Amino acid sequence: MTELSRRGLIAATAGSALLGASARAQEAAGPAPVRGADGAPILGPRNPAREAQDPFTVRPPATDHGTMPNLKWSFADSHMRLEEGGWARQTTIRELPVSKAMAGVNMRLKAGVVREMHWHKEAEWSYMLQGRARITAVDAQGRTFADDVGPGDLWYFPSGIPHSIQALESDGVDGCEFLLVFDDGAFSEDSTFLLTDWLAHTPKDILAKNFGLPESAFANIPKEELYIFPAPMPGPLAGDRMGGAGPIPERFSHRMLAQEPIRTRGGTVRITDSTIFPASKTIAAALVELEPGAMRELHWHPNGDEWQFYIAGEGRITVFGSESKARTFDYRAGDVGYVPFAMGHYIENIGTETLTFLEMFRTPTYADISLRQWLALTPHALVQAHTKLDRAAIDGLSQGKSPVVQG
Ligand code: MN
Ligand code: MN
C-alpha cells in the first residue's frame, strides 16, 4: 500500500466505532489485536496466513482470561513420514503436550500398499476417511478377524493384538486415508513392533529352529523394517478369512455411518462406544455434524479428556478451565483439538459449510453433562438465585438433552 492510499484509508475510516484508524488499516492484512479501547496494532513481523486462521487467538473475546494450556495442533504442522506408496504423520504428547490420554495418526496408503503386520502396547481405534482397506488380526486364542472397511467405518484393535492394514481400490479412489487414535498420548507410530524388524533382529539359526525350516529359507528376509510398502492386491475377502480357532467373537470393525444419528435442528450426532461396538473397550467416540451457525451445546464430560479431529468446515470453541480461565480456539479440517477432563466447552460452526468432526474419549462409554439440562433439572428458585434469569425463562428450559442447538 502506498503512503498516499494508506493515509486515504486512515482518513476514510477515522472515527470508526470499534477500531482505531491504523487498526482498521491493518485489518486488511488480517485480524488486529484490538478490541474496543484495548490492544494496539501489530508493528513487528506478521504471519497473516496463520493469524487469519486464528482470529480469536489474535483478538480474543473479552470473556477469555488466564493461562490455559494450548489445545490446538494441526496435522499440517506434523512431520510427514514418507514411504513407498504412502505416508504417516502423528499428533502425540510431543506435538500437543496437554494430550496425555490419547494420540492420533493420519495415514495414507495407495492401492495395494500395506501398513505392515505389527502390534503395539496401546489399543488402536480408527475412522476411515476416504477409500477402502482390508484389515486382519489374530488374538491370543488363535481366533481370526478379517474385514474390508470403507468411509465412515471404524476398527478397534485391543492392546497387544497383532494386525495389518492393506489399502484397496474402490470407485476410482487409489487406496485410502484414515485417522488412528491410540489410548495413550505418549504413543509413537515409529515405536510399534514390526514383523520384519523382529525377524531382522533374531539370529537366523533361531528363526530356523522356531519355524522348523532350514536357515537358507530366511536368506531373503528384509534387512530392515518395511513399515509401509507396496504388496500384491489381495483377492476376495472370503479367501482372506482364515479359520484358526474360529472368528474373533467381538468384531474389530463397526459401520459408524450406518448408525441412525441423533437428529436435532442444526445437526446430527452419532455416538459409538462399547455398548454398541463391544470390542472398543477403551475408546468411545462421537461423530458430529453441525449446520452453519449451529452449535454443539455447552457441556462437559464427567469421565475423561476429549480428543477432537476436524474433518470438514470451520469451528470455534471456548474451553472453560475453572479459576476464571477460558480460552477460545478456531479449528478447521485437519486440525486436532483437545479438551482436558471436566472442562466446560461448546463447539460452534462459524463457516459456510457443514462442520464435521470426531470426538474421542479414553472411556468404555460415552458421557456428557448438558449445562442446560442441569439447570432445567435443578430447583428453579435455586437456579434463579445464581443466574438472575427470569423465572419464566428458567421454567421454559427443555429438560431433554439436545446435543446440537440451532444457529
Ligand atoms: Mn497398529
Ligand atoms: Mn465435548
Side-chain angles (χ1 to χ4, degrees):
M1 191 180 286
T2 66
E3 182 59 21
L4 194 63
S5 63
R6 201 178 74 84
R7 281 187 191 162
L9 183 60
I10 289 170
T13 57
S16 165
L18 279 175
L19 298 177
S22 56
R24 172 71 80 190
Q26 195 173 63
E27 284 290 299
V34 175
R35 190 182 60 222
D38 295 338
I42 294 171
L43 296 178
R46 299 196 68 170
N47 184 334
R50 275 321 251 278
E51 290 166 5
Q53 288 196 3
D54 296 289
F56 272 42
T57 294
V58 179
R59 183 171 51 219
T63 43
D64 278 14
H65 182 261
T67 303
M68 288 282 283
N70 176 47
L71 302 176
K72 175 177 177 176
W73 181 269
S74 178
F75 271 109
D77 288 324
S78 294
H79 166 71
M80 273 281 192
R81 180 173 174 183
L82 301 184
E83 301 286 339
E84 188 180 355
W87 49 254
R89 51 183 174 174
Q90 58 185 346
T91 298
T92 71
I93 199 166
R94 290 164 286 275
E95 287 78 22
L96 182 60
V98 73
S99 63
K100 292 191 179 78
M102 288 161 281
V105 171
N106 178 205
M107 189 175 290
R108 168 82 165 94
L109 305 173
K110 292 167 84 171
V113 171
V114 175
R115 166 63 171 92
E116 92 158 89
M117 296 165 67
H118 71 284
W119 73 98
H120 31 76
K121 291 177 271 189
E122 305 79 5
E124 169 179 320
W125 179 98
S126 181
Y127 181 89
M128 182 60 79
L129 296 163
Q130 295 282 341
R132 297 185 67 78
R134 177 158 306 166
I135 54 176
T136 74
V138 175
D139 74 5
Q141 287 76 40
R143 298 175 298 195
T144 58
F145 171 82
D147 196 18
D148 288 348
V149 286
D153 290 344
L154 308 182
W155 72 74
Y156 180 91
F157 296 128
S159 164
I161 293 293
H163 53 277
S164 68
I165 306 161
Q166 183 171 19
L168 303 172
E169 211 159 30
S170 63
D171 303 330
V173 180
D174 179 11
C176 62
E177 186 175 330
F178 46 90
L179 174 76
L180 300 165
V181 175
F182 299 88
D183 59 359
D184 184 346
F187 173 83
S188 172
E189 178 62 19
D190 300 325
S191 304
T192 66
F193 295 87
L194 304 179
L195 169 63
T196 56
D197 194 23
W198 196 12
L199 295 181
H201 295 94
T202 303
K204 290 243 172 52
D205 63 316
I206 296 296
L207 292 177
K209 186 183 286 185
N210 188 72
F211 291 103
L213 293 168
E215 271 190 55
S216 59
F218 300 93
N220 297 321
I221 60 169
K223 290 188 171 51
E224 54 191 34
E225 67 181 42
L226 294 172
Y227 182 56
I228 287 175
F229 68 101
M233 287 294 288
L237 177 60
D240 275 358
R241 289 214 157 110
M242 309 298 285
I248 286 173
E250 289 183 341
R251 292 174 51 81
F252 288 154
S253 58
H254 176 81
R255 317 282 180 228
M256 189 182 205
L257 273 188
Q259 279 179 234
E260 191 54 35
I262 301 164
R263 286 180 200 281
T264 72
R265 272 188 282 185
T268 66
V269 180
R270 288 175 175 82
I271 295 168
T272 306
D273 64 14
S274 62
T275 61
I276 58 163
F277 181 21
S280 190
K281 299 252 189 288
T282 65
I283 299 283
L287 175 67
V288 182
E289 296 168 293
L290 302 179
E291 298 310 316
M295 191 175 89
R296 177 79 177 82
E297 67 163 356
L298 286 159
H299 68 281
W300 72 94
H301 304 277
N303 56 355
D305 295 0
E306 173 174 347
W307 199 97
Q308 302 171 338
F309 178 70
Y310 289 83
I311 294 174
E314 294 175 67
R316 172 169 295 156
I317 94 175
T318 301
V319 178
F320 165 62
S322 78
E323 297 179 308
S324 304
K325 291 181 295 189
R327 187 170 159 192
T328 304
F329 294 86
D330 291 302
Y331 300 95
R332 60 182 58 213
D335 290 348
V336 172
Y338 200 85
V339 182
F341 177 35
M343 290 192 183
H345 54 286
Y346 67 88
I347 303 154
E348 182 185 23
N349 183 347
I350 57 165
T352 55
E353 58 172 313
T354 301
L355 174 65
T356 306
F357 62 95
L358 286 161
E359 315 171 350
M360 272 67 67
F361 306 86
R362 191 176 65 183
T363 57
T365 50
Y366 177 89
D368 63 36
I369 306 285
S370 156
L371 173 62
R372 190 176 36 75
Q373 189 177 45
W374 179 36
L375 300 190
L377 296 177
T378 297
H380 292 183
L382 184 60
V383 173
Q384 186 178 29
H386 286 77
T387 61
K388 314 299 183 198
L389 286 167
D390 284 346
R391 180 59 184 258
I394 299 168
D395 292 346
L397 290 176
S398 161
Q399 297 189 352
K401 203 178 243 183
S402 178
V404 177
V405 294
Q406 254 182 307

